[in-house]
Amino acid sequence: MVTGGTGYIGSHTTVELQNAGYEVIIVDNLSNSSRDVLDGIEKITGIRPIFEQFDLMEGDKVDSFFSKYPKIEAIIHFAASKAVGESVEKPLLYYRNNLVSLINILESQLKYGVSNIVFSSSCTVYGQPDQLPVTESTPRKDAESPYGNTKRVNEDILHDTIAANPQIKGIALRYFNPVGAHPSALIGELPLGIPANLVPFITQTAAGLRSELKVFGNDYNTVDGSAVRDYINVVDLAKAHVVAVNRLLENKSKAGYEIFNLGTGSGVSVLEAVNAFEVATGVKLNYKIVGRRAGDIEKIWADTTFANEELGWKAETGIEETMLSAWRWEKKLRGIE
Ligand code: NAD
Ligand code: WQD
């Protein structure tokens, strides 16, 4: 079961799961994605995943789903509301969706005896860490946004539920900044409205939808003054989910509840990201340096030692190749040759 499977990361993960031989059932309410994504997945893999459209906040529907599919072996729970700014405006929507959906899934998991769950967490739980890079044992900080707080509380819900019910095993994956698209350009990120995230803003600017990219701040204590993040290729990220599911199904977990950082291990500044885009695509980007964005941290990147050694997984795609994949996807969406 892949919740949020027509979304950005869920669709890329469905492709990798199907390539690895798993049979995937997607659950999505299409609140932030489109049914057409199923066509892209089918074109890439030759297999159309089973699709069930409903809202995970509706507990009776979640229950009926598990009774309809009694052979589910593992759940990957991507479905959530994820826009940081919107979560500040509409905290209750975020708390309801992100907490109730997970609770409904866990209740059904216990009832129907599904042992394994992988959860989409985020590096946002670290806030601005005191030491870099961040390991999985770096202390979490108070969340900067209701969205971030839902990830922290979701992790706690998972931890406590597994502690009380050792028949369930779980893995929380803390993603750093997922970017890029499938190399086929048949699936990718589909931001609604004006993108808040850097890479979709870059590609939309290059495509002429936005007049210029605003670089938020050049007075940070970083290599060139712009903020630093760990940009992880979405296909590399998707592959880590296959490894996590294998680990659960093969009983290789070292504890009932495990946490892994998923990043590249390297920090890239905003200006370096812009440069990587220009070098990879040959397209010149119109950008302007403006003031810092409220709520932004200065720098973060992952220590990936634990994921590399324990999962045997490593991010492989470089930032330029990733930028090129994002650009190919944007061109495909806009019909640019
Ligand atoms: P996305 O919005 O593209 O995908 C989420 C999907 O979940 C969407 O298709 C949406 O329609 C669906 N959904 C939302 N609420 C639902 C509900 N109540 N019932 C059924 N379906 C529902 O987001 P994404 O970027 O693919 O993110 C996937 C997960 O990864 C999320 O949990 C997100 O918080 C987490 N994450 C994302 C990032 C990122 O930068 N993209 C970073 C860290 C963590
Ligand atoms: C990256 C860098 C911006 C847009 C967010 C969430 C986080 C996680 C990942 C889910 C920052 C700069 C951006 C622009 C810019 N999501 N920027 N101009 O803020 O690291 O993280 O997505 O869990 O929780 O907060 O990602 O892509 O928004 O920004 O200069 O137009 O690009 O200031 O330094 P962020 P982002």
Side-chain angles (χ1 to χ4, degrees):
M1 174 189 195
V2 175
T3 78
T6 45
Y8 174 43
I9 306 170
S11 57
H12 289 80
T13 300
T14 297
V15 165
E16 297 308 320
L17 287 165
Q18 292 190 161
N19 284 344
Y22 284 106
E23 191 179 341
V24 176
I25 307 169
I26 290 177
V27 173
D28 204 299
N29 65 356
L30 302 181
S31 57
N32 197 38
S33 57
S34 142
R35 190 180 284 272
D36 300 343
V37 173
L38 299 170
D39 300 334
I41 295 171
E42 186 176 1
K43 275 188 194 137
I44 297 169
T45 62
I47 302 162
R48 195 170 186 86
I50 301 170
F51 178 65
E52 295 282 354
Q53 182 181 348
F54 66 89
D55 194 321
L56 292 157
M57 286 188 283
E58 296 186 48
D60 54 337
K61 295 207 172 137
V62 177
D63 186 284
S64 312
F65 171 84
F66 280 97
S67 77
K68 181 172 172 189
Y69 296 103
K71 289 188 178 161
I72 288 175
E73 289 184 79
I75 300 160
I76 308 182
H77 181 42
F78 291 104
S81 302
K82 65 158 183 178
V84 175
E86 187 187 45
S87 80
V88 177
E89 308 290 321
K90 301 173 184 164
L92 291 177
L93 190 150
Y94 275 68
Y95 284 113
R96 180 179 289 279
N97 192 19
N98 294 3
L99 302 190
V100 173
S101 295
L102 178 65
I103 292 167
N104 284 341
I105 289 168
L106 288 169
E107 282 178 348
S108 284
Q109 245 193 290
L110 288 168
K111 179 172 169 189
Y112 290 94
V114 181
S115 308
N116 305 302
I117 181 161
V118 175
F119 173 69
S120 298
S121 191
S122 167
C123 70
T124 193
V125 299
Y126 296 118
Q128 175 61 68
D130 298 328
Q131 278 191 326
L132 287 167
V134 280
T135 70
E136 289 77 358
S137 51
T138 297
R140 297 180 308 176
K141 292 219 164 147
D142 286 347
E144 298 269 348
S145 68
Y147 165 74
N149 205 29
T150 68
K151 290 295 167 189
R152 185 191 168 100
V153 178
N154 272 325
E155 285 191 355
D156 293 343
I157 291 172
L158 204 51
H159 170 274
D160 296 347
T161 304
I162 290 167
N165 302 279
Q167 70 273 30
I168 293 185
K169 286 176 294 157
I171 294 180
L173 300 175
R174 290 179 178 157
Y175 314 152
F176 280 65
N177 287 56
V179 292
H182 194 268
S184 65
L186 289 166
I187 53 172
E189 191 169 5
L190 275 170
L192 277 184
I194 301 173
N197 294 117
L198 178 65
V199 173
F201 209 103
I202 288 178
T203 56
Q204 288 198 5
T205 305
L209 274 82
R210 315 276 157 215
S211 58
E212 64 181 8
L213 168 75
K214 292 183 179 67
V215 173
F216 297 133
N218 69 343
D219 57 351
Y220 287 112
N221 180 22
T222 61
V223 58
D224 54 24
S226 63
V228 166
R229 300 289 185 272
D230 186 337
Y231 296 97
I232 164 97
N233 179 280
V234 68
V235 176
D236 288 342
L237 184 70
K239 288 178 178 165
H241 293 75
V242 179
V243 178
V245 169
N246 290 344
R247 181 177 178 86
L248 290 169
L249 293 177
E250 291 164 11
N251 276 312
K252 287 187 179 156
S253 302
K254 299 269 165 66
Y257 172 63
E258 294 182 313
I259 299 169
F260 293 96
N261 282 344
L262 296 182
T264 67
S266 300
V268 169
S269 75
V270 176
L271 292 172
E272 286 171 339
V274 168
N275 185 56
F277 177 83
E278 292 185 335
V279 170
T281 63
V283 178
K284 200 89 191 94
L285 203 70
N286 187 26
Y287 71 88
K288 175 169 95 184
I289 298 187
V290 300
R292 294 181 180 193
R293 182 171 70 176
D296 266 354
I297 58 161
E298 180 169 87
K299 53 189 163 193
I300 190 166
W301 63 94
D303 183 326
T304 59
T305 311
F306 189 52
N308 297 161
E309 291 180 358
E310 200 49 51
L311 293 179
W313 165 92
K314 203 171 178 352
E316 283 166 352
T317 316
I319 184 77
E320 286 179 16
E321 192 179 336
T322 299
M323 286 294 191
L324 188 58
S325 72
W327 178 229
R328 285 211 197 98
W329 167 244
E330 187 71 55
K331 285 200 293 183
K332 171 93 181 307
L333 277 178
R334 311 297 163 198
I336 301 170
E337 280 310 309

